[in-house]
């Protein structure tokens, strides 16, 4: 089974919001998220990932409806477990959802979901999402208790949070890779699909892929959108896919 790429296009919306947040209906609003998603798909992305945050700092509700109508691969919606966002997810019916923790003050999703400590709140959300046909993934730190709790809750997929690895260097990065490897091995033993994301980049991907087995999907956003500023989105996606090609799991 080959490793596939989901491109997180939130930061295409970040760029748009930087100029047009107050005039969303203006004739000159850009860049267009639907066009960005189509370019990613043309370049080989197998899903389009977006995070509708409570504060709507990047993706807006109308983006989600337009993407739902236009995405031809899979729509992967990241969501915090709140009644408002869950209701939108249930209406939108994305193919995939990824439950993430969300704090208002954070710049990006800072840690994994505490599945172990929040089973009671997560269980009905997972059931509701499954009932509309969404494949549920839980975004967790590479931690044994979290992996086991995800399996116990009946989520078919986990996404391992790679942020601590991405932010570390030297021996600390090597230690994070060992944690990620152990979590991936445990998850595979428990029958979970293993995805990964956060902070993955053109620089750190080769080490990550060399050390971590059983991966099926990566979700990459910031690094691809940053690279796209220099080489264009299609080439940025193609270059990321090229780095993923040798992966044998
Ligand atoms: N996966 C999840 C669950 C995320 O929350 C994010 C950030 O929204 C990403 C992947 C992408 O992270 P990055 O933008 O650092 O590549």
């Amino acid at each position: 089974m080959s490793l596939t790429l989901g491109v997180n296009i939130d930061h295409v919306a970040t760029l748009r919001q930087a100029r047009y947040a107050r005039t969303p209906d203006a004739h000159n609003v850009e860049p267009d998220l639907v066009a960005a998603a189509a370019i990613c798909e043309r370049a080989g992305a197998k899903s389009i990932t977006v995070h509708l945050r409570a504060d709507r700092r990047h993706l807006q509700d109308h983006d989600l409806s337009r993407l739902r109508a236009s995405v031809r691969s899979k729509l992967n919606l990241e969501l915090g477990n709140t009644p408002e966002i869950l209701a939108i997810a249930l209406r939108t019916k994305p193919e995939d959802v990824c439950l993430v923790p969300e704090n208002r003050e954070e710049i990006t999703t800072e840690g994994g979901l505490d599945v172990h400590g929040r089973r009671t709140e997560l269980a009905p959300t997972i059931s509701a999402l499954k009932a509309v046909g969404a494949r549920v993934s839980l975004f967790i730190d590479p931690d044994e208790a979290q992996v086991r709790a995800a399996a116990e809750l009946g989520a078919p997929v986990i996404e391992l949070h790679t942020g601590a690895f991405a932010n570390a260097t030297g021996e600390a990065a090597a230690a994070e890779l060992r944690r990620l490897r152990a979590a991936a091995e445990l998850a595979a033993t428990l029958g979970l699909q293993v995805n990964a994301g956060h902070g993955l980049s053109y620089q750190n991907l080769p080490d990550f892929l060399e050390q971590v087995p059983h991966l099926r999907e990566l979700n990459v956003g910031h690094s691809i959108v940053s690279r796209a500023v220099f080489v264009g989105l299609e080439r940025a996606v193609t270059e990321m896919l090229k780095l993923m090609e040798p992966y044998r799991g």
Side-chain angles (χ1 to χ4, degrees), residues 95-124:
E95 282 80 8
D96 295 343
V97 295
C98 182
L99 284 161
V100 302
E102 195 177 301
N103 300 313
R104 242 162 222 284
E105 304 305 321
E106 68 192 359
I107 289 178
T108 180
T109 316
E110 273 163 7
L113 194 62
D114 181 10
V115 181
H116 188 58
R118 294 185 180 270
R119 294 164 200 240
T120 329
E121 298 124 81
L122 287 169

Side-chain angles (χ1 to χ4, degrees), residues 8 10 51 78 98 100 108-109 139 159 197-199 219-222:
N8 180 316
D10 287 342
H51 184 177
E78 296 174 359
C98 182
V100 302
T108 180
T109 316
F139 187 47
E159 180 166 331
H198 210 283
N219 282 302
V220 186
H222 189 91

